[in-house]
Amino acid sequence: MEQTPVDFEDGLLDVGDGHRIYWRAQGPRHAPVMLVVHGGPGGAMDIKWADALEADKWRVVFFDQRGCGKSEPFGKLEHNGIDALVGDMEKLREALNIERWAIFGGSWGTTLGLAYGVAHPERCTGFLLRGVFLARREDIDWFLWDVRRVFPEAHRAFLDAIETACGKRPKTAQEILALTEAPLARFDDAGTKLARAWTNYETTLSVVNKPEKEKDAPDEEKRPSAEANSAAISMALLERHYMANELPPMPLLPLVARIAHLPCRIVHGRFDVVCPADQAIALAAHWPGADLSVVNAAGHWTFEPGNIAALKIGAKALAEAIGKA
């Protein structure tokens, strides 16, 4: 059965510093607005996230962050930091003439969504967060190094790829960030192979319950080669850039009090080894009114059945809470 085409509007917004961000808006114009904040850093919007929302309940706004997706220029690291991205979100709100909106973020999108929220609490109506990433040093070290205790084969293959590209095998998380800077920045064949290895490593860690049907596989497994290469380059390049230069940001947890009066629904896979569940529990502890759903038999990937089911429940509850406010 063919799906009914979704009416949408889109464009490129000049945010300064030589950057233009791509955005897309869809859904009823009279409905409350939900801003979708993608992961990475270096990921891109995925309009399938809207499937977790009731289509008639939200006006959904997507955007690609600086340097990735359809934003221009591709892969630019200059003027690409968390404060700039928060500023871009506010410029997008103003450009679209939106008074207030809810934030739907996953993984790095939770970091950026929270950073925007504590900077502009008066512009937020509520939060739907999946796979919380607090971007503390221990969270970065876990992803780059300590997770080898759970995925030793994947971590060994990751280090093999770095050694092939750099001629040296990293011995710490900080060495991973130092050694991968030059090859990832070259955009040549060796850099692309390293970017693909970085992305494959993250994908391997992300999925616990992968749906059997090919059509439900993660997008990166279905993309044409050139598109997959670009997606891998932006993900690896920008993740390395942010982990080395932008993170940890100002500690987020002490600032949550600025938005703790707003409704929040948190969904986190029990077996998320990209962003372990202690981060979601720590966030909930600083947000007394937040509702936390830890999903058993689910990992980091948004589209695992348990995560999607919990997100749909959370989105419906968030819409009701906003409607009563």
Side-chain angles (χ1 to χ4, degrees):
M1 181 181 297
E2 293 186 2
Q3 293 184 333
T4 303
V6 175
D7 291 331
F8 68 92
E9 56 181 337
D10 64 351
L12 283 166
L13 176 65
D14 189 334
V15 291
D17 304 321
H19 286 273
R20 297 199 299 167
I21 61 168
Y22 176 74
W23 61 270
R24 168 182 168 130
Q26 63 188 53
R29 293 180 180 275
H30 66 276
V33 183
M34 179 80 83
L35 176 69
V36 178
V37 188
H38 69 69
M45 72 170 65
D46 186 343
I47 60 174
K48 290 191 301 182
W49 276 42
D51 293 344
L53 309 172
E54 292 182 272
D56 63 339
K57 294 290 195 299
W58 299 97
R59 175 76 171 166
V60 185
V61 177
F62 304 87
F63 76 105
D64 287 331
Q65 296 158 30
R66 295 189 181 199
C68 55
K70 295 180 181 179
S71 291
E72 301 174 349
F74 177 81
K76 183 178 179 181
L77 302 182
E78 292 81 7
H79 304 291
N80 197 331
I82 192 166
D83 290 341
L85 299 187
V86 168
D88 292 349
M89 294 160 71
E90 183 62 2
K91 289 174 183 176
L92 179 60
R93 184 194 63 77
E94 293 174 345
L96 298 182
N97 197 29
I98 295 168
E99 183 177 358
R100 300 174 72 207
W101 50 14
I103 306 296
F104 180 10
S107 192
W108 158 252
T110 68
T111 318
L112 183 54
L114 290 170
Y116 174 84
V118 300
H120 301 282
E122 73 285 354
R123 297 303 180 187
C124 301
T125 57
F127 294 80
L128 179 62
L129 306 174
R130 190 274 313 155
V132 173
F133 177 54
L134 296 178
R136 302 166 300 188
R137 179 53 54 193
E138 61 262 38
D139 306 321
I140 297 169
D141 288 348
W142 168 266
F143 170 70
L144 291 177
W145 198 259
D146 298 332
V147 75
R148 73 191 189 282
R149 298 186 63 184
V150 183
F151 279 90
E153 306 95 336
H155 194 262
R156 184 166 56 248
F158 182 39
L159 297 188
D160 288 345
I162 295 172
E163 187 172 14
T164 298
C166 309
K168 182 178 179 181
R169 195 174 189 84
K171 297 179 181 178
T172 65
Q174 289 304 304
E175 286 192 3
I176 288 176
L177 296 176
L179 291 173
T180 54
E181 179 178 13
L184 288 175
R186 288 199 299 262
F187 289 65
D188 58 6
D189 183 63
T192 299
K193 288 180 179 177
L194 177 57
R196 291 297 295 263
W198 183 300
T199 305
N200 289 339
Y201 168 69
E202 185 164 348
T203 301
T204 299
L205 270 54
S206 293
V207 183
V208 171
N209 276 327
K210 181 179 176 180
E212 295 180 2
K213 295 182 179 180
E214 175 70 17
K215 67 183 180 67
D216 290 329
D219 285 348
E220 56 268 22
E221 296 184 8
K222 300 186 295 182
R223 290 172 174 152
S225 181
E227 185 181 351
N229 285 345
S230 293
I233 289 169
S234 64
M235 180 73 81
L237 182 72
L238 284 161
E239 279 194 356
R240 195 223 68 85
H241 166 68
Y242 271 77
M243 289 178 182
N245 304 304
E246 289 289 326
L247 303 177
M250 182 182 296
L252 289 170
L253 289 179
L255 302 177
V256 167
R258 297 179 184 177
I259 50 176
H261 61 287
L262 297 170
C264 177
R265 309 287 295 201
I266 304 169
V267 172
H268 206 107
R270 173 73 68 190
F271 298 104
D272 185 339
V273 296
V274 176
C275 300
D278 66 315
Q279 296 176 79
I281 292 169
L283 177 59
H286 283 75
W287 203 323
D291 182 274
L292 170 62
S293 176
V294 178
V295 183
N296 290 320
H300 189 66
W301 189 39
T302 305
F303 298 102
E304 293 198 34
N307 286 342
I308 281 290
L311 284 170
K312 288 182 176 180
I313 293 171
K316 183 177 181 180
L318 185 60
E320 292 175 353
I322 292 172
K324 294 177 181 177

